[in-house]
Amino acid sequence: MTLPRVICRAGKRLLALVSVFLVFTLVVACTAGTAGGGSPAGNSGGDAAGTAAAGDSSKFLTFFPCCSWGTTWSYNPYNVNQLGIQNDFISMRLAIVKSPSLTEFIPQLADKWAVENGKLNVHLRDDAKWQDGTPVTSKDLHDTAILNGLRGDGFWSDITGVDVVDEKTVAFTLKEGQPESLAKLDILNSIRPYPSSVYGKLVTDGLKQDVVKYFRTLQQSPEQAAKLPEFKRMGDAFKNLAQLKVDKLIGNGPFRLENITTKEAKLVKWTDFWDADKIKFAGIRYLNGATQTVYPQLFSGNVHLSNVYMPPPILNRWKTTPDSNTALPLGFGFTIVFNSNQKPLDSKAVRQALAYVIPRQQISEAAYGTDEAAGGTWKEVNTGISPTLEQIYLKPEQLEKLNKYPVDPAKATALLQGEGFTKKGDQWIKPDGKPFTLTFTANAETTDIVTSFNSAAKALTAFGIKSEVNATSGAQQDADQHNGDFQAGMAFVGGSNPIAMYNSLLGPGYNFTRLGNYAGKRGIGFGPKKNVPGLGEVDLASTIDRQARTVEPGDEMNKQVWNWAQLVNEEVPYIWYATKVYQFPFSTKEFTNWPPLGDNKSSELWDIISADMNGGLSLAMQQGYITPK
């Protein structure tokens, strides 16, 4: 099963990299509404979880990576051809951002930081150690920052250099005019230091000079930067880095890797972790599997926490299961994206007409039903950002000014007729005399999206636009949409930065792509120039991309969010039709002291878990939550 592409600001890279979401339970299943696929491992994890005596703190937690069954793993995080095992249980980040905040952080490997004289000084914990017993030092962080530059990590767009200050402090020199809050977000929340004892031999003074010069040039002239000899040397250095054979994984987190195969990995509690006394588990068992395996384990009580998608029948059964609970933090958005470069979708009026015909509430409920816990909730106002961020960055009176596009065949008819369309019998005819048909492209494994798209296609066909769904492989769907070889497609939008949400679809990663594997491709083909409210006629992709790197929270961000919300609402380059409700079923049968739930079935910690599953769950354990009875 292929993991749907979830786009967010954190960890921007110039190279196209695959992001693997590690999902957690005492068995966990895939998220994003998929309910099948993959080859289950020989053991679903029930034995390890279910046979330990009550009160025995040696019980195993079991979790596995979504959608990567049979994958070859690598201890080298820079190996782009395999999946790295590093995560927040084994290798800590500097800090974890609270959700949906962009400015508040919870310390992890770093215990304090401050901006002084244009530099972000990051101090590492004095008691942080590597699992070989050596201290975590500033050289580890410094060398990691240099090597991360070879793969184009996004924080290098914020800085012009990095230097060791003392044994525990590293200074990141911010580029002139760089907002401090965004630099902190990119550096603290994204950098996961690796031991210099393993990787530092590749960091030379010459390599550091190459990285610094390249990124300083890149900030001024991307075309010139690509021609630098430093850029070529960096490419050669990255090849050597990616090919580095790492025989042992040395982490610094609450668990250490004991063994790993293509089917499972075993992690055990590391007793020298600085907060080891708060961790209530002796080990985690990390296991592959499929949702068909998870459901019976969940109902039997052998699975104690999951983020498995529960369709209405499964959800109803779970609610009647003893000791069952469900956390419901909001997740990311499901959108229908239009290829604005392909006729007749290049017409704003046509895209608006489609918005008046596609019944967003109906297509969302076709997949999720009407239960608030059913996995997704429909979104009425198409602002291009999540309901949570609307409450933070947009005023109620602003939202009231936007078009809600209720189902209205009469308005859709008027819009199409105004563009020269005619209707013959039950079929709309384009101005060129050909029937107006529409194909939705979807990843076949995202069964809830296929269901929603089938519902949308049915409504459009009934209106006179014959429509169908092309349910294909995730790789093909992703390639077709990046190449611009589609009409209507699927996309996910997530994160806590509203400008970054707009950038994810309107920026150069997905719209007139400029970097990575799809450089030079159209993507959704919206623009390239548009008249943006409040901004005037601008190059769309480069403008929103620049704002994502420079606009920090405050009045200016509020202003720009309103500008882009008006554009998306009026031009309809994409329609946000449903907001994913993360379902986290958990059981109190054998485990207690779960993170608390508020009236909305979520909390600050569950929101962090929703936005950052590995980091949030590791954080929960560090705070003493999830204890065996």
Side-chain angles (χ1 to χ4, degrees):
M1 179 166 54
T2 302
L3 180 67
R5 187 181 184 86
V6 181
I7 311 170
C8 58
R9 175 181 172 83
K12 302 183 302 293
R13 293 178 181 171
L14 302 182
L15 301 177
L17 297 178
V18 177
S19 178
V20 178
F21 287 79
L22 302 180
V23 281
F24 162 103
T25 61
L26 292 185
V27 171
V28 174
C30 247
T31 178
T34 51
S39 56
N43 184 335
S44 65
D47 291 345
T51 58
D56 183 357
S57 63
S58 67
K59 286 182 180 178
F60 287 115
L61 283 163
T62 306
F63 75 120
F64 58 80
C66 178
C67 319
S68 54
W69 297 293
T71 300
T72 300
W73 295 89
S74 173
Y75 294 158
N76 182 355
Y78 300 101
N79 186 330
V80 297
N81 296 317
Q82 298 176 326
L83 297 178
I85 186 64
Q86 282 87 355
N87 56 53
D88 294 270
F89 293 100
I90 302 172
S91 299
M92 308 283 283
R93 276 174 290 173
L94 297 175
I96 292 177
V97 67
K98 292 184 179 180
S99 181
S101 172
L102 297 176
T103 57
E104 297 178 276
F105 300 88
I106 300 172
Q108 291 286 268
L109 202 59
D111 59 359
K112 57 185 177 182
W113 48 84
V115 175
E116 299 174 358
N117 300 320
K119 295 182 179 182
L120 173 61
N121 295 310
V122 178
H123 184 271
L124 300 170
R125 295 179 61 110
D126 290 330
D127 53 359
K129 293 190 295 185
W130 294 107
Q131 291 168 356
D132 62 1
T134 60
V136 176
T137 70
S138 53
K139 190 175 188 307
D140 299 309
L141 176 54
H142 169 272
D143 290 355
T144 298
I146 297 299
L147 295 176
N148 286 3
L150 298 182
R151 66 183 182 190
D153 278 26
F155 68 87
W156 273 100
S157 297
D158 306 337
I159 68 174
T160 59
V162 56
D163 296 285
V164 170
V165 176
D166 57 38
E167 187 70 10
K168 286 289 185 176
T169 307
V170 173
F172 295 85
T173 302
L174 306 184
K175 72 179 181 183
E176 186 176 354
Q178 174 63 34
E180 294 179 7
S181 62
L182 298 186
K184 290 177 183 177
L185 185 65
D186 284 344
I187 293 170
L188 299 176
N189 193 59
S190 299
I191 298 181
R192 190 188 309 278
Y194 302 119
S196 181
S197 62
V198 178
Y199 303 97
K201 59 188 176 184
L202 298 177
V203 179
T204 64
D205 290 341
L207 179 64
K208 179 177 179 178
Q209 292 170 7
D210 285 349
V211 171
V212 169
K213 181 175 180 180
Y214 169 74
F215 280 102
R216 286 180 177 177
T217 306
L218 183 69
Q219 292 164 12
Q220 302 297 323
S221 174
E223 292 183 0
Q224 182 180 351
K227 299 176 183 178
L228 292 174
E230 287 84 354
F231 180 63
K232 183 180 184 306
R233 291 198 294 266
M234 287 170 59
D236 293 338
F238 184 72
K239 290 179 182 177
N240 293 332
L241 175 61
Q243 293 170 1
L244 183 67
K245 189 175 186 301
V246 180
D247 296 321
K248 183 178 181 180
L249 178 59
I250 302 174
N252 51 40
F255 296 89
R256 63 176 177 81
L257 180 67
E258 181 173 286
N259 183 53
I260 185 169
T261 68
T262 57
K263 290 186 177 181
E264 67 178 31
K266 187 175 182 181
L267 309 181
V268 296
K269 179 178 175 179
W270 183 46
T271 56
D272 286 339
F273 178 64
W274 61 77
D275 268 342
D277 61 325
K278 295 182 180 179
I279 308 295
K280 305 305 179 184
F281 299 102
I284 294 178
R285 189 161 180 195
Y286 189 125
L287 196 68
N288 286 330
T291 52
Q292 308 98 298
T293 307
V294 175
Y295 290 145
Q297 295 287 341
L298 191 65
F299 294 131
S300 68
N302 286 334
V303 169
H304 304 91
L305 169 66
S306 178
N307 73 324
V308 62
Y309 168 57
M310 297 187 295
I314 298 295
L315 176 64
N316 290 336
R317 182 179 172 189
W318 174 245
K319 287 182 174 180
T320 61
T321 300
D323 306 306
S324 65
N325 301 268
T326 308
L328 299 172
L330 292 180
F332 49 86
F334 290 173
T335 66
I336 300 172
V337 293
F338 296 116
N339 185 351
S340 296
N341 196 71
Q342 183 179 118
K343 290 186 178 299
L345 299 174
D346 60 338
S347 164
K348 175 181 73 173
V350 171
R351 298 193 300 270
Q352 288 178 334
L354 295 174
Y356 277 119
V357 177
I358 296 173
R360 281 167 288 130
Q361 181 175 2
Q362 176 182 310
I363 70 174
S364 177
E365 292 179 355
Y368 307 113
T370 58
D371 192 301
E372 65 175 2
T377 179
W378 82 284
K379 190 172 188 298
E380 184 176 22
V381 185
N382 185 39
T383 62
I385 60 175
S386 68
T388 301
L389 296 189
E390 286 174 357
Q391 295 174 15
I392 297 173
Y393 297 100
L394 294 175
K395 300 175 181 177
E397 55 266 30
Q398 291 175 324
L399 290 171
E400 284 300 317
K401 295 179 181 178
L402 299 178
N403 191 341
K404 295 181 179 179
Y405 293 99
V407 175
D408 194 329
K411 287 186 177 179
T413 295
L415 286 165
L416 291 178
Q417 290 176 339
E419 293 295 292
F421 288 73
T422 57
K423 196 170 187 181
K424 294 184 179 179
D426 60 357
Q427 175 67 54
W428 279 99
I429 306 299
K430 297 184 293 184
D432 62 6
K434 298 179 181 180
F436 183 10
T437 63
L438 191 68
T439 298
F440 290 85
T441 299
N443 178 345
E445 297 291 348
T446 56
T447 53
D448 51 349
I449 294 176
V450 173
T451 298
S452 294
F453 279 12
N454 279 327
S455 181
K458 183 177 179 180
L460 287 169
T461 298
F463 176 69
I465 302 172
K466 187 176 180 180
S467 302
E468 62 181 5
V469 177
N470 174 29
T472 183
S473 71
Q476 189 64 54
Q477 167 263 322
D478 189 59
D480 287 346
Q481 292 185 197
H482 273 94
N483 288 327
D485 298 329
F486 75 106
Q487 288 184 293
M490 56 176 274
F492 302 86
V493 185
S496 299
N497 186 326
I499 300 297
M501 278 192 176
Y502 291 120
N503 189 43
S504 66
L505 293 184
L506 303 181
Y510 217 68
N511 187 29
F512 298 104
T513 310
R514 298 179 185 179
L515 296 169
N517 294 337
Y518 298 103
K521 302 298 184 179
R522 293 188 305 271
I524 68 173
F526 184 58
K529 292 187 176 181
K530 284 289 183 181
N531 192 338
V532 181
L535 298 177
E537 188 84 6
V538 298
D539 181 86
L540 202 77
S542 62
T543 299
I544 187 60
D545 188 57
R546 182 174 62 253
Q547 286 192 2
R549 301 174 189 276
T550 59
V551 177
E552 58 185 330
D555 292 341
E556 182 62 20
M557 179 170 281
N558 296 348
K559 176 182 176 182
Q560 296 305 331
V561 169
W562 173 232
N563 290 338
W564 293 103
Q566 292 177 86
L567 175 79
V568 170
N569 185 262
E570 173 69 15
E571 292 277 352
V572 199
Y574 60 93
I575 298 175
W576 185 310
Y577 68 90
T579 302
K580 175 69 178 178
V581 176
Y582 269 124
Q583 299 163 311
F584 287 98
F586 64 92
S587 172
T588 55
K589 178 181 178 182
E590 295 183 24
F591 288 80
T592 186
N593 195 30
W594 293 91
L597 290 176
D599 293 338
N600 62 348
K601 294 292 185 179
S602 189
S603 65
E604 180 180 274
L605 192 48
W606 280 111
D607 286 345
I608 294 174
I609 292 170
S610 171
D612 185 346
M613 207 168 304
N614 278 346
L617 287 163
S618 177
L619 183 65
M621 290 185 184
Q622 294 169 44
Q623 294 179 355
Y625 288 107
I626 316 177
T627 58
K629 286 185 175 180

